[in-house]
Amino acid sequence: MSDPFDGTERSLGQLVASATAEMSALVHDEIALAKAELRQDVRRGLFGSITGIGALVVLLFSLPMLSFALAYAINAWTGGHNGNEGWNLAWCFLLSFAFNVLLAILLGVIAVAKFKKVKPPEKSIASAKQTAAIVQNVKPHPRPELDKALDKASVVGRSSV
């Protein structure tokens, strides 16, 4: 007897195993692509977070020291150093506070600019959509031997009714 599978045709099990292996490789490649894109976005987000935290640290820890130093410097610049009393110290401290707030706003704007550069993994999403579209349109190929066997079975089934 001759072997019906002479090497030119693969069995159903071989086809299923091949399709499963290829689908698994495709999924692994898409996961690797998504990881690479997410790593890049995490780095950008991390830099933006560090910059934002830096803005808060500058605002919190520099306010007392900078406020006193700047307030007394303003008072000295306005004539307080030579006994003329210069500007009122309250106004000097208010100007010092305004300077610190402007510095914090500048650092916050830099942080927001870095956060806006973080984008979704567009390549991974497009690849997944393309794969889903391809898999959705896959139709099984008709097999002539199987169709003939089904026709014979349906004829036998109908004649016995």
Side-chain angles (χ1 to χ4, degrees):
M1 233 165 136
S2 66
D3 185 15
F5 302 107
D6 58 355
T8 57
E9 291 186 25
R10 296 189 296 178
S11 70
L12 181 61
Q14 290 171 329
L15 291 173
V16 169
S18 174
T20 303
E22 289 175 10
M23 186 63 78
S24 176
L26 179 63
V27 168
H28 285 288
D29 289 344
E30 286 185 6
I31 290 172
L33 176 62
K35 283 181 181 179
E37 286 182 333
L38 287 175
R39 266 189 229 114
Q40 184 179 16
D41 286 339
V42 165
R43 286 185 189 129
R44 288 180 186 151
L46 184 62
F47 183 76
S49 297
I50 290 171
T51 308
I53 290 170
L56 291 175
V57 167
V58 167
L59 183 63
L60 291 176
F61 290 116
S62 71
L63 277 178
M65 238 180 199
L66 289 177
S67 294
F68 277 97
L70 191 57
Y72 282 109
I74 292 170
N75 183 270
W77 291 332
T78 59
H81 65 285
N82 59 12
N84 296 337
E85 291 194 27
W87 288 358
N88 187 345
L89 274 177
W91 287 109
C92 296
F93 277 104
L94 185 62
L95 286 173
S96 173
F97 174 75
F99 172 77
N100 288 328
V101 168
L102 288 176
L103 179 63
I105 288 172
L106 175 67
L107 290 173
V109 166
I110 292 171
V112 168
K114 290 297 178 181
F115 280 127
K116 285 186 178 181
K117 288 185 179 179
V118 176
K119 297 177 182 175
E122 295 169 357
K123 292 178 185 176
S124 297
I125 292 170
S127 176
K129 286 182 180 178
Q130 182 181 14
T131 301
I134 290 171
V135 170
Q136 203 172 34
N137 294 330
V138 171
K139 297 178 183 174
H141 295 290
R143 298 191 65 152
E145 297 86 25
L146 184 61
D147 290 340
K148 290 178 186 175
L150 288 176
D151 288 341
K152 290 179 184 176
S154 63
V155 169
V156 172
R158 279 190 232 134
S159 63
S160 63
V161 174

